[in-house]
Amino acid sequence: MQMTPEQRNLMRQRENMRRQTMTREADAAVRDSGLQLSPQERAQFESRYIQERRRVEQGLRQQIEAERQKEIPALIQQLKKEFQIDQPGKSPVAKPPASQKSGN
């Protein structure tokens, strides 16, 4: 799939914003640490911060996805029940929860 020039530009802008945000946060982490670092040490600290931050965020994304996958089957079953109630001779639109007579 070929991206339009506008889509490529938008992706570049988003990536630049993401990098700027990460750089600001790494800079804040150096300040918050209270360490007095040489320019070389500062660059190393920021690099490690960004590396570890990505690792943490990847772990969190994996946890969220695992939780989502555990919840989806129950959600599908719930929706299936709601939509089956309305199936006979009607359009498949769920009734509002207040009008349902099922015991929850």
Side-chain angles (χ1 to χ4, degrees), residues 75-88 90-102:
L75 171 62
I76 291 170
Q77 287 303 312
Q78 174 189 341
L79 291 172
K80 185 177 174 182
K81 287 177 186 176
E82 286 178 24
F83 280 78
Q84 281 178 342
I85 290 171
D86 291 329
Q87 283 295 310
K90 296 183 183 178
S91 64
V93 175
K95 292 181 182 176
S99 68
Q100 288 181 349
K101 304 288 191 250
S102 64

Side-chain angles (χ1 to χ4, degrees), residues 33-81:
S33 74
L35 296 170
Q36 299 298 315
L37 303 173
S38 70
Q40 182 180 357
E41 291 170 326
R42 182 183 184 86
Q44 289 174 336
F45 183 102
E46 289 178 357
S47 176
R48 282 292 311 280
Y49 173 86
I50 291 169
Q51 177 185 3
E52 292 300 317
R53 170 80 179 258
R54 284 185 183 135
R55 185 186 60 75
V56 166
E57 288 175 357
Q58 178 63 29
L60 291 171
R61 277 192 295 279
Q62 288 172 346
Q63 286 177 0
I64 290 169
E65 185 58 30
E67 284 296 316
R68 182 184 354 265
Q69 292 305 317
K70 288 190 323 193
E71 298 286 332
I72 287 176
L75 171 62
I76 291 170
Q77 287 303 312
Q78 174 189 341
L79 291 172
K80 185 177 174 182
K81 287 177 186 176

